[in-house]
Each structure stands twice: as structure tokens, then as C-alpha cells.
Amino acid sequence: MKQITRLGLGLLLSSSLATAHADDVKIGMITTLSGGGSHLGVDVRDGFMLALEQSGRDDVEVLIQDDANRPDLARSLANEFMQRDEVDILTGIIWSNLAMAVVPAVVRQGTFYLSPNAGPSDLAGRMCHENYFNVAYQNDNLHGAMGAYMREQGYERPIIMAPNYPAGTDALAGFKHLYEGEVVDELYTQMGQTDYAAEIAQIRASDADSLFFFLPGGMGISFMKQWEGSGVDMPIFGAAFSFDEILIKAVGSAAIGARNTSLWAYDLENDANERFVEGFREAYDRTPTLYAAQGYDTANLILSALEVAHPDDKDAFREALRAADFDSVRGDFRFGPNQHPIQDIYVREVVEGDDGQPTNRLLGIAIEDIQDVYFEECQM
Amino acid sequence: MSVTLLIEQILNGVQLGTMLFLMASGLTLVFGVMGLINLAHGSFYMVGAYATAAVTASTGSFLMGLAAGMTAAALVGALVELLVIRRLYHRPHLDQVLATFALILIFSEGTRWIFGSSPMRLSPPSWLTGFVTLPGDTRYPLYRLMLIGVGIVISIALYFLISKTRLGMRIRAGESDREMIGALGVNISKLYTVVFALGAALAGLAGALVGALQSVQVGMGEPVLILAFVVIVIGGIGSIKGALLGALLVGLVDTLGRVYLPIFFRAFMPPSEASGVGAALAAMLIYILMAVILAFKPKGLFAAHD
Amino acid sequence: MTNNIPTSAVSSKPTSNSARASMPKHSHSGGSGAAPANQADSHFGRKGLVQIALLGLLLLLPVAAYFFGHLYYVNLASRITIIAMAAVGLNLAIGYGGMVSFGHAAYFGLGGYVAGISAYHAFDFTPFMTWPISIPGSDSLLVVWLAAALLCALLALAIGAISLRTTGVYFIMITLAFAQMIYYFANSWPTYGGEDGLPIYIRNSLPLVDTTNALTYFLICFGGLVMAMAVTSRLMKSRFGAALTMARLNDVRLATAGVSPYPVRLVAFVISAAITGLAGALYADLNGFVSPSVLSWHFSGELMVIVILGGVGRLYGPLAGAILFVMMETFLGGITQYWQLFLGLVLLGVVLFAKHGIMGWLAGRERNE
């Protein structure tokens, strides 16, 4: 039943074209709603829509399309939104490779793009643009923060692991940059790999004292389940991408004890966050993930800028976005010169919740006011 | 690299191979008997895993879940055969490719519609967690050892089924001459449904068993499907023996390649670069293996027939 | 049988009588028997009409859309045209040559990467290679197309030479294997972006025309599609085409006639790859972007689905398939997030109820079906 009502909502959202007025604001959302890993897109969408609903504004319409995690389809959808629907703002993309396919062309053509999840280094550095705002994180942020945290906690011989693709090599580079020490070994897995027996045996055979890994989505689930049965006793660390509320419930007990860095936690105490988490649970009957928080913040940033100017007045609207004058659910939030966040990164630990299911608990701050290292390459 | 690590990695390769065999045996049977290219075989793997996860969660029993997973896959298989596949036997292979590709889309999105976008939870039962200590102080997860055991049992059972039973005789007859078997008075359509459901059940079992180690999510069957095709092509299409050897070969080459190629490149490259190059080559390794085998043996290692 | 031969110049399968008469029952084009003789002429008329309508609408609608200011539909038409062109290339291998390639994404992707890499070096003023000869980047479409076609032909020559030793499902899988190798290589090779892909900042250019204009670019793509179809049609009417058809239907007969089937197939495979590669280069410039996703087996499968959907071995089949597939992909997505389910149902319906694809359904049977 729930699925059917969700479908109904989707229908409603995408067909709300008819009632547009001239000064209404149109937002196009391209996100991943089908196939593996689609819970990220669903949460970004749901968080975003919740913020709009709470604002009570009826002059903002959102058009939503599924990119099925395919760069060429995302690109075509972006054209559709810009050329046919003439949206003022685009948002929604989950994956870095899709962002790289869509964002440069979109912002060059004068449409605003606000990233609710991906933050590839090129878009923060040499390809930065005045119409591109990242409301989530630069890809290195969470990995670097974990490097800093592990050094501070006194781990001396970490072994690190990631898939062999740009986001993976960037993750390990970001970790090493702030860890600043020697790592025992670097393991590269394959994209979409499902069996980690070989890597686990290597990890056990090494003399590492800790493991840091970046295995987003299903890869992380597979790895942790297999890790649990292996009898290796070593603390594990990662970024929130392997430990969102939905993934750790699929992993089960194997995730307990893992520590992960995140830019947000649902038990973070501030007014905006309480309103968000309560509202989200009420509306969707589940605990939000960081993706939902990012979607929510993205919508609220847009709403705050709309108070100042309409996107047709590009310079004024851009200035309003830069000011980031909204209550972020993650606490302090501001933009650096490349329009990427400067923010605190938190550490969470996976614990057993009251209902026996694993859940994240906030431990503290891993690093304050982290900023990406690419802003110097950015000439705006 | 120590000997114990090598032994452990060989076990890992064998374990991957036995699970690939469960997938590949059904695929190769269906092709051998009915001459059907079934791209939707990975969907049965997914159905098995989802059914097992759902029933395990509600009953608390992994074994009940497994039984449910196999049954569900077999039922879905039989249903698909009756509704769709049956109309395709006399059609060109290309129509079969298009129809079973369509089935993948229907199954994947249908599953997402019913179960939602989030991955499902499925873990090995507590009596199968932990590890055993093998000679040479090698620790090996109990669950993976069990998977190897199940693989061996199924292989033997399939051997007996095909060489000793009446059903097996019909299957063999169907493989060697499709027209002949009808003339013998065998009810072909029933035989086809049974073989298809058997293949689906094996895929469902593989999905359920592996699902406890991996992520139960939409699309989980596709990478396995491609690997299973690699296996049956290496082994020779239609040959169960070929599927078994092909599966073990692919399992071992993939696992050992992933471990030892980066180490090999480290001999003459900086470590970080060597890991990357080694991993890239390891990803290509089984396809290189397949291309080399087919270049020299165009019908695989144990071709049963065309 | 003899009454059933169409007399048209656009007929896509000119085979000799003897070839058809000896067509074995299990041939790739499937089914047996022929349409009643008295229908031959009337359904040819319908077929001609459908073909003209397809091509005409594909040309006229985007032009109209452009003048009404709907740029999006012009770009959508470009996308359909390019995908159709890639499928025309694949159809030459699958439909006319009986070589079921599950790896044509390799050529599409390579063509795309030629455009991307060339533009990358032209933009940076860095040479692509310096040894043994220095090759600079180029932002000229003519250079890019030439390089894409040549490189894809070379790659297909190597892959085809090995793969064509196998037949049937083995051929399907070995072509997939080669494509997968290239996919993994592109994914993990950092120089040109790896999985993140490679953006093309400024569309490659041609002398005298403005390629950044949507309509101009569509017309270029349309020209490419028509060329590809003309090449296929000419080729299949030549002696070479007759030999290729014979190689598909009965290669023993061809061999006894003194022609070795292997080189005939290989040449067709290479031409097929070059056409698909050119389409890939056009696609990269249309999107301003190329990434390993166009090298994946999903894309090979999609191209194959488009060919089968449209009608295997029909000149206009890939066009019909591409129009339906891309339109569904584009418009179903706006209706429901479960759009792929409905896409699957439509595809299943076509294969179960419209034998010989959309063109078979719209335009009637081809004569040797």
C-alpha cells in the first residue's frame, strides 16, 4: 500500500505543470530512483519535499525525474528541464560521475545547480562555477575527517581499502592527507564487487591495528557481513556512505561497533534538526539518512534565498545563496570561496538501538570547520 | 606471501566457484535441453534471496527461509515458463534475448515495487557463524565452508539425477535430439517446465545462500548472470561437467588474480600505483581467460553439442 | 515463392533465388513460409509508406520544433538519430551477417572516447602522444570522425579475427568478453577521468557551419544516419552482400562456391563497428561528455534490444526500434518511478505479439521470413 501511495505522490509531483504562474519558481530534480542504490535518491527527494511542505509555500514547483544512475540519461533529462520546462534551479544528482556529466553544461548555460550529494574534486577546483553550489560535502571531507580522527585516537598502522575508481582513489588520498602517517597497505577492490574473502584474508595476514574502508552502498553491506564471520578482531572505520540508517539495518549485527564520519547525525541537538527528524519520521515512517538531511538542507537553502530574490535576478539570487542564511540541520554551515561547505564533521558509532536494530549514535566532532583542498584551484 | 594465506585464498576461490556452479548448472541445462538463452536467470537468484530474507525475518528460521527461497524461485520459474518462455522455444535466439531482457526489467522493478528500494537484511544463522581452524592455523569462516559443502552435495545430486534417473534420461535425450524425444512419447512440455523450474530453484538457492553474505538488493542477479555465462561458455554449453570445471576455474582465477596481481606489480612499481594497476588487470582477468580459451577451443572445454 | 520477390530499389535483402530456396529451417532470421503471393505488392506499398513516414517525421518534426523554439525536442531527435545509427551498424552484423555481437558498446564507447580525448588535448594544447610520432589533439569533427572510424575498424579487426572462429552463443559471449575488458580498463584508467568520465567543454567543430547550433548538429547526425543506411543498403545489394547473406544462411554452400565465409564476415563486422563507432563520436559531442557507462554490457544489450525491437535484418528496423525505445525511456520516466517495469512489459508484448519487430508489424513480412 505504502508503495502505491508513493507512486501516487510521484505522479502528482511530476504532473503539476499545469498550474504554473509567471513568477513561480521551477525546480528540476534529477535523481536516482530506480535500480540498485536507489534509496539514496529516494531519501534526497523525500528530505527535499519535506522542507518545501513545512515551508508552506505554494509558488515553488518541483519536477522530478529518475536518471536510473546513467550519465547519458541524466544529461538528456537536464536538457529537458532546461530547454522544455525552463526550470530556474536544478538539483538532485547522487553520483559523482553523473554530476560530472550534467553540472558543467548546466551552469555554463546560466541555470543554478545545487548539489545535494556528490562533490567531485574537479567541480570544487578547476571546474568550479559561480552557478554551482555544493550543499553536501566535497568528496574528500568525510574521509579526511576520519584520517584526522584516527590519528588523534592513536591508531598507528591502519590498512585502507576502496574500489578502484576515481571516488575510491580520491577517498584514500583524502584519508592519507589528514592522517599524515604511514599506512600498512592500500587495497583496491573492483567496482560492484560482492565477495571480499580475498581482501579479508589479506587484512588478517597484515599487522594492521585498524581498518578504514570506503565501500558505498551494497559493497559495504557485503563486506561487513563477510567481515563478521571471518574472526578478524580489528576496529573498523569508514565514512557515513557505508553506514546510513538503511544500510546498517540491512547489515545487522555485523555493523555494531563501527565508527563513521558524517556531516550530520539524527541525534544532533539543534532546533532545526529536531524539527526535521520528527517531521521526517511522521511523514515517511522511518529515520532519515544523511542523504535526506542533505536534501532537506538544499531545499531550505533555496527557500532562504527565495526570500531575498527570484532566480531570474541571477546576481541577487546567487548572493543570497552564498550567504547561506538558513538553519542547517547540521549546525554551523557556510560556503567557502568555491561555494563548497565549510562545516564540522562528526563521528558516530553504530550501536544496538532500543528496538534491537543497529543505529548510529553521535560520539562527537571529528574535525571542525573542514574545508576542501581544491578551492585554491578555483578561479571564479 | 605465506602458504596458509595461499590455502585460504584457494578455498575462497573454490567457494566462489561452487556458488557460480549453482547458477551455471541451471543456465546450461536450460540451454542444453530447450536451446533457450535465458538472460532472466539472474532474476531467479534475486527472487530466491528476497524470499529467503522475507521468510527468515518473519519466522526466524534460516532453514525455513532457504526452503521458501528455493520454492519461490522454482514456482516463479515454472510460472515464467508457462506464461512466456513456452512461446519462445521455436523462435530465434534473438527473440529470446529480447524477451528475457524484458523479464529482467519486470522482475527488478516489480521486486522494488513490492519490497521497496532499501536492501533487505539476511544474515547467516547463529549456528553457522564463527570460523573453524584448519591445519596450519588457517582460520576459515564456517559459513563459507558450508557453502563449499552444499556445492559438492548439489554437484553429486545433479550427477545422479542426470545419469541414474528417468528424468535424467529424458534430459539427456532432450539434449541430444529434441525431435526424437517427442516421438518417444515423453510429454515434452511437462519436461521443459520441470527442467526450467529446476534451474530456477538452483539459482534461487544460490541467491539465498550468497545473499546471507552479501547485499540483498535489486539488481543483485546481473553481475552473477554475466559470470555464469562466462562459466558455461568456458565449460562448453550444455555440459554440466563443463559448468563445474568452468565455475571452479573462474572462481580460482578471479580470487587469486585479485590477491596476487597487485603483489606481482609491486615488484617493480610504487605500491599505490601497483595496487591500482593490479586491481584493474584483475577485473579484466576472467574475460581475458575466456577470450584465450575460446580462441583455442571455440566451443569451450567440454562442448556437449552446439 | 518466386511471386514473393519485391521489385523495389530500397529492398534490404537482395538474395539470389538459390540462396532462399536452400535456406535451412534453423536460420537466424527464424520462421518459415512466405506471405500469400497476392499480398506481395500491397504490403510492399505499405512498407514503403512506413519507411518514408519514419524518416520524414524524424527530419521534419525537429525542424518544426526548432522554429517553434523547442530546443529540447531537437536534441532529443539528435539522440534518437545517433542511437539509431549505432543500431544500424549493429544490424549489419546481427541482421545481415548473423553475427550476434554482445559487445558493440566497445566501438560506440571507443568512438566517444576518440572525440573526448581529442577535444581534451586540443583544449589543453597538449599532444596525445609524442613517441614514436607526435600526435596533437584536434577539435575538428572531420579529424575526429576519421580517427573514430579507423580506430574502431582496427579494434573490430582484431576482436573479429579472434571471435569469428566461434559461432552461436560462444560468439555472443566472446564479443562480450572483449567489451568488458575495455570497460574495466576505461573505468580504472585515471588519465581520462576513469569512471567519472571525460567532459568535452566545447563541441568539436566543422569548417563553415556552427556545430553548437542544435538544429545544425541534428542535421549532421541525420546525415550520418542516412549515410549509414545507404552504405548498408548499397553493400547488401552488391556481390559482397550476396556473399554475406549466403554466409549467414548456409556457409557450406558459400564455401563450395569458392568463397571463404570468414573474410566476408570479418569485413562486414569491421564496417559494422566503424558505423557504430562514428555514432559514438557523434553521441559524445552531443552530450559534451563521454564516460565508461557507454562501454558497459548494459549498453551493448540496449543496442541489441533496439535492433530486435525494430526488426532484425531490416534496413529501417533500427530506426523504428530507436524511436520507440528512446521515447519510452524519456517519457515513461516522467510518469512513474517504476517506469522500467512498463518498459519491460512493452518489450515483452512486442516480442510475443509482433513477430519480426515493429517493422514487421507496421510494414508486413520481409520476403525470407
Side-chain angles (χ1 to χ4, degrees), chain A residues 13-43:
Chain A
L13 293 174
S14 48
S15 59
S16 57
L17 260 164
T19 55
H21 298 283
D23 53 347
D24 279 5
V25 178
K26 263 194 203 173
I27 301 174
M29 177 179 281
I30 302 166
T31 195
T32 305
L33 298 172
S34 67
S38 48
H39 78 268
L40 282 71
V42 169
D43 260 28

Side-chain angles (χ1 to χ4, degrees), chain A residues 11 14 66 72 75-76 165, chain C residues 79 195 283 287 334-336 339:
Chain A
L11 276 168
S14 48
D66 172 25
D72 57 327
R75 181 62 182 256
S76 165
Y165 75 122
Chain C
R79 190 154 147 245
E195 200 227 13
Y283 199 56
N287 286 333
I335 300 171
T336 156
W339 59 278

Side-chain angles (χ1 to χ4, degrees), chain A residues 64-125:
Chain A
I64 300 174
Q65 287 267 24
D66 172 25
D67 59 36
N69 198 353
R70 277 175 35 199
D72 57 327
L73 186 57
R75 181 62 182 256
S76 165
L77 292 172
N79 283 340
E80 184 180 332
F81 277 145
M82 288 189 299
Q83 293 163 356
R84 190 183 68 183
D85 303 321
E86 297 176 339
V87 298
D88 305 294
I89 301 164
L90 271 170
T91 184
I93 290 175
I94 301 295
W95 314 99
S96 294
N97 57 337
L98 272 69
M100 291 296 290
V102 169
V103 172
V106 167
V107 293
R108 266 207 318 268
Q109 290 175 41
T111 307
F112 288 99
Y113 184 87
L114 280 78
S115 172
N117 194 51
S121 51
D122 273 350
L123 294 181

Side-chain angles (χ1 to χ4, degrees), chain B residues 220-240:
Chain B
M220 63 185 287
E222 289 169 25
V224 195
L225 174 79
I226 293 287
L227 279 185
F229 265 112
V230 170
V231 163
I232 67 170
V233 164
I234 286 179
I237 296 168
S239 159
I240 296 274

Side-chain angles (χ1 to χ4, degrees), chain B:
Chain B
M1 279 296 126
S2 67
V3 180
T4 48
L5 186 62
L6 179 63
I7 293 173
E8 192 178 343
Q9 300 296 16
I10 288 174
L11 278 176
N12 285 333
V14 170
Q15 183 261 309
L16 180 59
T18 53
M19 287 302 108
L20 283 177
F21 172 68
L22 289 190
M23 277 294 282
S25 55
L27 206 56
T28 209
L29 262 184
V30 167
F31 190 86
V33 179
M34 289 98 106
L36 177 91
I37 298 182
N38 180 20
L39 293 184
H41 203 64
S43 298
F44 303 133
Y45 179 88
M46 180 180 72
V47 166
Y50 267 88
T52 304
V55 171
T56 305
S58 62
T59 65
S61 159
F62 183 67
L63 287 180
M64 293 268 282
L66 269 189
M70 265 185 98
T71 316
L75 282 178
V76 170
L79 202 65
V80 164
E81 202 274 343
L82 289 171
L83 290 178
V84 178
I85 304 290
R86 174 153 295 195
R87 303 159 194 265
L88 298 172
Y89 294 134
H90 299 293
R91 302 283 287 275
H93 280 332
L94 284 173
D95 283 4
Q96 302 171 352
V97 167
L98 177 57
T100 51
F101 177 85
L103 285 176
I104 295 184
L105 295 179
I106 294 170
F107 274 111
S108 292
E109 291 310 295
T111 306
R112 209 163 61 79
W113 202 332
I114 298 169
F115 290 96
S117 303
S118 311
M120 295 271 283
R121 175 170 179 177
L122 176 63
S123 301
S126 53
W127 47 276
L128 278 176
T129 50
F131 49 86
V132 284
T133 309
L134 301 176
D137 201 32
T138 311
R139 281 179 184 177
Y140 201 70
L142 183 59
Y143 189 77
R144 282 182 191 273
L145 216 52
M146 189 275 294
L147 291 187
I148 296 179
V150 170
I152 293 172
V153 170
I154 298 274
S155 316
I156 295 172
L158 266 182
Y159 170 78
F160 273 102
L161 178 78
I162 286 172
S163 62
K164 306 285 182 207
T165 65
R166 186 176 286 270
L167 174 66
M169 193 193 78
R170 288 175 181 165
I171 290 176
R172 275 178 294 144
E175 286 191 325
S176 47
D177 192 338
R178 243 163 266 157
E179 270 82 42
M180 182 75 170
I181 150 163
L184 286 172
V186 174
N187 182 343
I188 293 195
S189 43
K190 206 170 113 194
L191 175 71
Y192 282 6
T193 313
V194 169
V195 171
F196 199 81
L198 176 70
L202 288 174
L205 177 66
L209 289 172
V210 174
L213 278 181
Q214 296 177 2
S215 168
V216 178
Q217 62 181 16
V218 170
M220 63 185 287
E222 289 169 25
V224 195
L225 174 79
I226 293 287
L227 279 185
F229 265 112
V230 170
V231 163
I232 67 170
V233 164
I234 286 179
I237 296 168
S239 159
I240 296 274
K241 185 171 76 175
L244 181 60
L245 283 164
L248 290 176
L249 195 60
V250 168
L252 283 169
V253 166
D254 187 50
T255 306
L256 297 179
R258 254 159 50 209
V259 180
Y260 290 104
L261 275 178
I263 294 172
F264 169 74
F265 280 104
R266 234 167 267 195
F268 44 87
M269 271 178 158
S272 167
E273 221 169 284
S275 299
V277 175
L281 198 59
M284 292 187 255
L285 201 56
I286 57 163
Y287 298 105
I288 296 173
L289 173 79
M290 174 161 112
V292 169
I293 286 179
L294 288 189
F296 290 100
K297 297 202 95 170
K299 290 189 182 309
L301 296 174
F302 299 91
H305 67 105
D306 244 0

